[in-house]
Amino acid sequence: MASITDRLPQNILGRYYVDTTCIDCGLCRTIAPDFFQRDDETGFSIVYRQPVTEEEIVLAEEARASCPTESIGNDGEPA
């Protein structure tokens, strides 16, 4: 389960984030490329845009649920 205390600082502020347990598998970027991208400096995926609409939230939740290391959290600062 993602930990807010391990949240990567490269994430944009908001409810969704990626923490330091990311293994850069790229699955979140495949499922929801409008919200997740690779940070080349750290080698991790990050949230670069927060989902807003219900359809966007569904995609972000699918990415979160699919993460093999449970590195995506949705308990950050409200968007």
Side-chain angles (χ1 to χ4, degrees):
M1 178 183 219
S3 171
I4 192 75
T5 58
D6 294 328
R7 176 187 178 128
L8 292 166
Q10 292 81 2
N11 290 289
I12 191 164
L13 289 179
R15 180 165 303 279
Y16 287 89
Y17 62 91
V18 178
D19 76 6
T20 59
T21 61
C22 176
I23 60 170
D24 194 35
C25 71
L27 189 56
C28 63
R29 300 188 308 261
T30 299
I31 294 171
D34 290 340
F35 315 110
F36 298 92
Q37 69 182 15
R38 184 176 197 275
D39 180 70
D40 291 330
E41 188 174 305
T42 63
F44 296 120
S45 292
I46 60 165
V47 175
Y48 74 96
R49 185 172 82 80
Q50 293 289 331
V52 177
T53 68
E54 285 300 315
E55 294 82 15
E56 292 176 341
I57 292 169
V58 167
L59 280 176
E61 281 298 312
E62 182 180 345
R64 187 184 67 78
S66 299
C67 179
T69 54
E70 298 182 347
S71 301
I72 301 170
N74 69 349
D75 57 343
E77 298 294 320

